[in-house]
Amino acid sequence: MNDPSARPEIAGTVSDMASYDKVIIGFPIWWGVAPRIIETFLESYDFSGKTIIPFCTSGGSGVGRSDEDLHKNVKGDVKWEKGTQINRPDETAIKRWLDGVL
Ligand SMILES: Cc1cc2nc3c(=O)[nH]c(=O)nc-3n(C[C@H](O)[C@H](O)[C@H](O)COP(=O)(O)O)c2cc1C
C-alpha cells in the first residue's frame, strides 16, 4: 500500500465482461483508500459504456477520496456513480442500496 503503482495479481478473470451493463465494485478501505488489487481489476478491462458503482466497507472511515482515486485509473467512457460506505451486518440497508442502484 506504500507503493501507489503496486498492482497485485488477480487469480481469475471475467470472461464475459461485455455482457455486463453495470459493475458493482466493493472493497474494504485500507489506509483511507482501496486495496491496490482493485486497481488491478479496473485496469484489466475496458468498461466503456458501462456504469460502475463503487462501495466500500471500513472500520469507520467513509468512502473519502477512495472512489475518485479509482475513477482516475479507469480507461474509456464510463458512467461512474458516487461511492458509498456500507458496513455489515445491516442487510436492510444493503438491499435498499442495491434496489436503488440496479
Ligand atoms: C491494512 C488495513 C488497513 C485498514 N485501514 C482502514 C482505514 O483507514 N479506515 C477504516 O475505517 N478501516 C480500515 N481498515 C478496516 C477495514 O476497512 C475493515 O476491516 C473492512 O472493511 C471490513 O470488511 P469485512 O466486513 O468484509 O470484514 C483497514 C484494514 C486493514 C486490514
Side-chain angles (χ1 to χ4, degrees), residues 15-43:
S15 58
D16 55 348
M17 186 61 86
S19 66
Y20 293 90
D21 295 327
K22 294 184 176 179
V23 180
I24 296 176
I25 297 183
F27 55 89
I29 294 287
W30 281 6
W31 315 127
V33 294
R36 305 281 178 228
I37 199 166
I38 302 299
E39 280 156 301
T40 309
F41 178 77
L42 289 171
E43 290 168 7

Side-chain angles (χ1 to χ4, degrees), residues 18-95:
S19 66
Y20 293 90
D21 295 327
K22 294 184 176 179
V23 180
I24 296 176
I25 297 183
F27 55 89
I29 294 287
W30 281 6
W31 315 127
V33 294
R36 305 281 178 228
I37 199 166
I38 302 299
E39 280 156 301
T40 309
F41 178 77
L42 289 171
E43 290 168 7
S44 298
Y45 300 92
D46 180 0
F47 294 98
S48 295
K50 301 184 192 300
T51 300
I52 298 184
I53 306 159
F55 76 93
C56 74
T57 61
S58 78
S61 309
V63 166
R65 64 185 171 86
S66 66
D67 66 332
E68 278 312 311
D69 280 357
L70 293 176
H71 188 184
K72 282 182 211 150
N73 289 315
V74 174
K75 294 182 291 275
D77 180 23
V78 302
K79 184 174 179 217
W80 185 273
E81 298 284 344
K82 178 82 192 108
T84 192
Q85 180 211 24
I86 298 185
N87 273 2
R88 61 187 167 91
D90 192 346
E91 288 186 20
T92 308
I94 293 169
K95 283 183 183 139

